[in-house]
């Protein structure tokens, strides 16, 4: 039996960091702060800190595992290798389903900012097709476009913060009230929602088969991308709360736009909209790449149809997996509105990282880079944040897991009969 074709190692450290930052900043800044403020008010700052601690624990687990298993698939592979086929499958299934919904959400967010009235879904589909084409022609194209998008988005965010803090409304730190006014349950719930904003570093691990010197590059890239994203989130969260206040932030559909308008710089609102659109585009680009590689890994182990194992002979990408994903996401965009899929996606991602932490905890001393206590804290954190997600998100997540179990039972039976 011949070995399946491998992907080419073409990504350096800066490429990997850019993909991680692009994955996180797009999802977090423009999508997660409003619902987090709705449940926690000013306490979302504490929620952000809790989410960051859990994310750091998860990131170190992913980094440690990626150094030992530098191949496509991320936690799907780690779970299989360390815990068994079922934990690995549940991690991969949760990631693919949850992030497919996130892809549709990011496409719709992008279109909401740039599409003329009545053409939102058409523009969303065009964005998916365009980014799939970019991914199709090689991971280096993906990395180049990601770096351009990340640079543009960070520039817009810096402008937004400066305008917000120097506008006609003086930031009111004293008027924010107590961080715990909404209670600790609300704070933990905000942490679960804000964790969605940190999930992008998983993309670096899923690209493990395409990173140069993965045992060094991936751990450094994961921790670096997380640190950059945390700094950006902390500054943005403080600025939004001190200028808009928790109530206005909670009801905002475009927080950065409202920030510059409230500070007397309405002329900058189109710039903020462009930044939001580019951020969503960057997140979508990384999502397509990450889901494609995880689908490839699952297909290689017969957890998804073998049709998806194909690697393009010239461009070294899982082209069938990416095209199939694009078709599914386009159908989702046309049929349902998934812009409110943050909670459901958080459920899947938290389950994914729970498997990562448990997998890293089983690694031996030779492959250990971080103390076991980080994996214990990360595991507990994932379970707590799952429990505090909105009931609807938990219910949908459980249904998805049950469907995955049923699917795999049927597939295993077919393979062995």
């Amino acid at each position: 039996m011949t070995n399946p074709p491998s992907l080419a190692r073409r990504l350096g450290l800066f490429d990997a960091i850019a993909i991680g930052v692009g994955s996180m900043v797009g999802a977090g800044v423009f999508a997660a702060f409003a619902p987090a403020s709705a449940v926690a008010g000013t306490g979302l700052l504490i929620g952000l800190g809790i989410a960051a601690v859990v994310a750091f624990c998860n990131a170190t687990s992913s980094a440690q595992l990626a150094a030992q298993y530098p191949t496509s698939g991320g936690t799907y592979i780690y779970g299989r290798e360390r815990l068994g086929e079922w934990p690995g499958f549940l991690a991969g299934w949760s990631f693919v389903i949850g992030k497919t919904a996130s892809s549709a959400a990011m496409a719709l967010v992008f279109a909401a900012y740039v599409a003329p009235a009545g053409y939102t879904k058409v523009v969303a589909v065009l964005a998916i097709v365009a980014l799939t084409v970019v991914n199709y022609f090689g991971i280096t194209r993906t990395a180049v476009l990601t770096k351009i998008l990340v640079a543009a988005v960070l520039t817009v965010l810096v402008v937004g913060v400066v305008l917000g803090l120097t506008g006609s409304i003086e930031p009111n730190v004293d008027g924010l009230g107590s961080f715990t006014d909404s209670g600790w349950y609300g704070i933990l719930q905000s942490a679960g929602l804000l964790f969605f904003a940190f999930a992008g570093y998983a993309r670096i691990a899923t690209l493990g088969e395409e990173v140069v010197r993965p045992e060094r590059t991936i751990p450094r890239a994961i921790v670096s991308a997380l640190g950059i994203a945390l700094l950006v989130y902390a500054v943005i969260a403080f600025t939004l709360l001190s200028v808009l206040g928790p109530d206005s932030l909670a009801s905002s559909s475009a927080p950065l736009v409202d920030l510059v308008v409230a500070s007397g710089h309405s002329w900058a609102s189109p710039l903020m909209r462009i930044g939001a659109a580019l951020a969503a585009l960057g997140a979508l680009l990384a999502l397509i790449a990450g889901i494609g590689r995880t689908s490839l890994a699952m297909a290689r182990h017969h957890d998804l149809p073998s049709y998806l194992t194909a690697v393009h002979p010239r461009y070294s990408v899982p082209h069938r997996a990416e095209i199939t994903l694009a078709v599914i996401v386009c159908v989702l965009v046309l049929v349902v509105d998934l812009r409110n899929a943050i909670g459901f996606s958080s459920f899947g991602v938290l389950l994914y990282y729970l498997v990562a932490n448990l997998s890293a905890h089983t690694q031996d001393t030779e492959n250990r880079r971080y103390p076991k206590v980080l994996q214990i804290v990360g595991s507990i954190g994932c379970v707590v944040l799952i429990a505090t997600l909105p009931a609807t998100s938990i219910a949908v997540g459980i249904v998805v897991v049950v469907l995955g179990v049923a699917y795999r039972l049927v597939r295993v039976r077919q393979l062995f009969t």
Side-chain angles (χ1 to χ4, degrees):
M1 180 178 178
T2 59
N3 293 325
S6 299
L7 305 178
R9 297 195 182 278
R10 294 172 176 167
L11 296 178
L13 176 61
F14 189 59
D15 298 322
I17 292 174
I19 289 173
V21 174
S23 302
M24 286 184 274
V25 171
V29 171
F30 299 97
F33 283 119
S37 183
V39 297
T42 311
L44 77 84
L45 292 173
I46 301 177
L48 181 65
I50 294 172
V53 169
V54 177
F56 176 76
C57 294
N58 297 344
T60 55
S61 292
S62 296
Q64 183 172 289
L65 289 158
Q68 184 175 357
Y69 304 103
T71 187
S72 293
T75 299
Y76 168 72
I77 294 296
Y78 312 150
R80 282 184 63 94
E81 294 292 334
R82 306 303 311 178
L83 303 175
E85 294 182 0
W86 274 105
F89 171 80
L90 291 177
W93 177 264
S94 298
F95 179 87
V96 169
I97 301 300
K99 292 305 178 182
T100 298
S102 293
S103 297
M106 286 298 106
L108 287 166
V109 168
F110 166 75
Y113 280 103
V114 302
Y119 290 89
T120 301
K121 292 191 173 184
V122 173
V123 172
V125 168
L126 291 176
I128 294 162
V129 172
L131 295 185
T132 302
V133 170
V134 172
N135 274 310
Y136 188 94
F137 288 106
I139 193 64
T140 52
R141 270 45 167 214
T142 302
V144 168
L145 180 56
T146 299
K147 283 183 278 191
I148 294 171
L149 292 172
V150 166
V153 170
L154 292 180
T155 300
V156 169
L157 291 177
V158 169
V159 171
V161 168
V162 171
L163 294 178
L165 295 177
T166 59
S168 57
I169 296 180
E170 186 174 345
N172 183 13
V173 179
D174 296 331
L176 292 179
S178 171
F179 289 149
T180 57
D181 282 348
S182 298
W184 281 100
Y185 182 79
I187 290 172
L188 289 173
Q189 197 170 29
S190 75
L193 294 169
L194 288 167
F195 186 82
F196 172 83
F198 287 108
Y201 55 80
R203 238 68 78 235
I204 303 171
T206 60
L207 301 174
E209 199 170 315
E210 295 160 279
V211 174
V212 177
R213 299 181 68 188
E215 68 283 351
R216 282 176 52 86
T217 301
I218 294 178
R220 292 168 65 189
I222 287 176
V223 175
S224 298
L226 179 62
I228 293 170
L230 175 58
L231 177 62
V232 171
Y233 293 158
V235 172
I236 295 293
F238 175 80
T239 304
L240 290 173
L241 285 170
S242 61
V243 176
L244 295 180
D247 293 336
S248 295
L249 175 58
S251 60
S252 175
S253 59
L256 270 295
V257 174
D258 291 342
L259 172 68
V260 295
V261 171
S263 61
H265 298 290
S266 298
W267 60 267
S269 58
L271 179 62
M272 295 302 109
R273 292 186 179 278
I274 291 171
L278 294 178
L281 212 58
L284 178 58
L285 179 65
L287 280 167
I288 293 172
I291 301 169
R293 272 67 181 177
T294 302
S295 299
L296 169 68
M298 294 182 73
R300 284 173 172 173
H301 292 89
H302 309 294
D303 281 331
L304 288 178
S306 57
Y307 170 82
L308 303 177
T309 59
V311 174
H312 196 283
R314 178 177 177 183
Y315 301 116
S316 296
V317 296
H319 56 295
R320 289 182 184 172
E322 289 186 347
I323 291 173
T324 302
L325 168 67
V327 171
I328 293 171
V329 175
C330 286
V331 170
L332 287 175
V333 163
L334 294 173
V335 174
V336 293
D337 190 335
L338 290 171
R339 276 176 285 187
N340 295 319
I342 292 178
F344 159 58
S345 181
S346 292
F347 180 95
V349 171
L350 286 164
L351 179 59
Y352 180 87
Y353 283 118
L354 173 61
V355 174
N357 283 309
L358 295 175
S359 300
H361 192 267
T362 69
Q363 288 180 279
D364 54 31
T365 304
E366 180 182 352
N367 293 295
R368 179 164 298 284
R369 293 165 177 252
Y370 303 97
K372 285 191 173 185
V373 66
L374 291 180
Q375 290 110 53
I376 296 172
V377 172
S379 298
I380 295 172
C382 287
V383 173
V384 171
L385 294 186
I386 286 174
T388 56
L389 286 173
T392 302
S393 301
I394 296 174
V396 173
I398 291 173
V399 169
V400 169
V401 169
V402 170
L403 289 175
V405 170
Y407 163 80
R408 190 169 192 271
L409 287 173
V410 171
R411 185 156 181 80
V412 169
R413 181 174 295 181
Q414 290 175 340
L415 291 173
F416 289 95
T417 55

